[in-house]
Amino acid sequence: MAIRQIGKRGLLFTQSELVCWRIYRLYQRQQLLNDLMAWGNVFWPRFLRRLEWPEAYTLKVIQLLIVLAVWPLLLIGALLQMLAKWLLFPARFLATYFTPKKLQAPGEKSLLGLHNAFVSASVSSVSLSDSLYVGCIDEWVEQLYGAEVAGKKSLSLYIKQLEEERRGLTMEVNLEASLRDELAVARERLSRDLGHYLVDECKVA
């Protein structure tokens, strides 16, 4: 099992952990690029797309008038936010090539431990979208446990299993909040089922 030392503080990572960190940084760069192209959110913000419309015609008209009234203000705010993203992009993109001061080596040698060290520790201001996060975790699983295991156990597969379990539920839920909950539950189950990755690395070594 190879140990690598990175950063000025001499953080110790296994070779697989270091590769996972680099994978995470690649996905952060992709997120930054995606954010620059997200013009759809400027002209029609996400919360408006999630807005529930009343069935009554009169209430629906009133709500539409309110949306039209505040839309110019929302547009100005979104344009200013997009401008800030473009201005800060070079510095934020360049920062992904350096080791953050808050970065710590994973304490628990599991998928959840890696998540806590790299994602939950707020080592970067770049947060991944749900789809990019799932792709990143799936690559971590393949790197830590091998392609054969990743073909049977991955975050994307566990999320599909959760969706099938909840398909019979008829209660109305917020889709975005539900997806975040599914990500957390699926990650916990996946990490528990995979166990510690150092066991696999020691076997290989």
Side-chain angles (χ1 to χ4, degrees), residues 59-174:
L59 294 177
K60 188 178 296 184
V61 171
I62 293 174
Q63 184 167 307
L64 177 60
L65 293 175
I66 294 174
V67 170
L68 291 176
V70 301
W71 185 79
L73 296 177
L74 296 175
L75 178 61
I76 293 173
L79 286 173
L80 291 175
Q81 188 177 31
M82 182 62 77
L83 177 62
K85 287 181 180 180
W86 278 84
L87 291 176
L88 295 174
F89 172 77
R92 297 182 73 193
F93 193 86
L94 186 62
T96 63
Y97 288 95
F98 294 91
T99 304
K101 293 181 179 180
K102 294 183 179 180
L103 179 65
Q104 298 290 337
E108 181 184 349
K109 302 302 182 180
S110 66
L111 190 65
L112 190 58
L114 210 64
H115 163 87
N116 292 335
F118 294 169
V119 182
S120 296
S122 300
V123 296
S124 173
S125 59
V126 183
S127 299
L128 300 184
S129 65
D130 291 337
S131 58
L132 286 182
Y133 177 79
V134 172
C136 180
I137 296 297
D138 285 351
E139 286 200 38
W140 283 2
V141 173
E142 182 173 355
Q143 176 61 39
L144 294 171
Y145 300 94
E148 184 177 353
V149 173
K152 301 175 182 177
K153 297 179 180 179
S154 67
L155 187 58
S156 54
L157 289 175
Y158 274 56
I159 289 175
K160 288 180 180 178
Q161 292 175 4
L162 280 176
E163 290 174 349
E164 291 176 357
E165 291 175 7
R166 298 182 180 183
R167 190 166 296 170
L169 299 177
T170 56
M171 58 181 178
E172 295 183 2
V173 294
N174 182 295

Side-chain angles (χ1 to χ4, degrees), residues 10-57:
L11 295 174
L12 298 179
F13 288 81
T14 67
Q15 179 62 33
S16 294
E17 288 172 345
L18 183 56
V19 172
C20 287
W21 170 247
R22 289 170 178 168
I23 289 172
Y24 180 56
R25 293 306 242 179
L26 284 172
Y27 273 88
Q28 286 185 316
R29 290 171 203 136
Q30 183 60 55
Q31 183 65 60
L32 287 171
L33 292 170
N34 290 353
D35 289 343
L36 294 184
M37 299 295 109
W39 288 100
N41 295 331
V42 172
F43 296 101
W44 197 251
R46 291 179 180 176
F47 82 91
L48 288 181
R49 293 198 293 269
R50 300 196 303 268
L51 194 63
E52 294 184 2
W53 294 86
E55 295 183 2
Y57 178 77

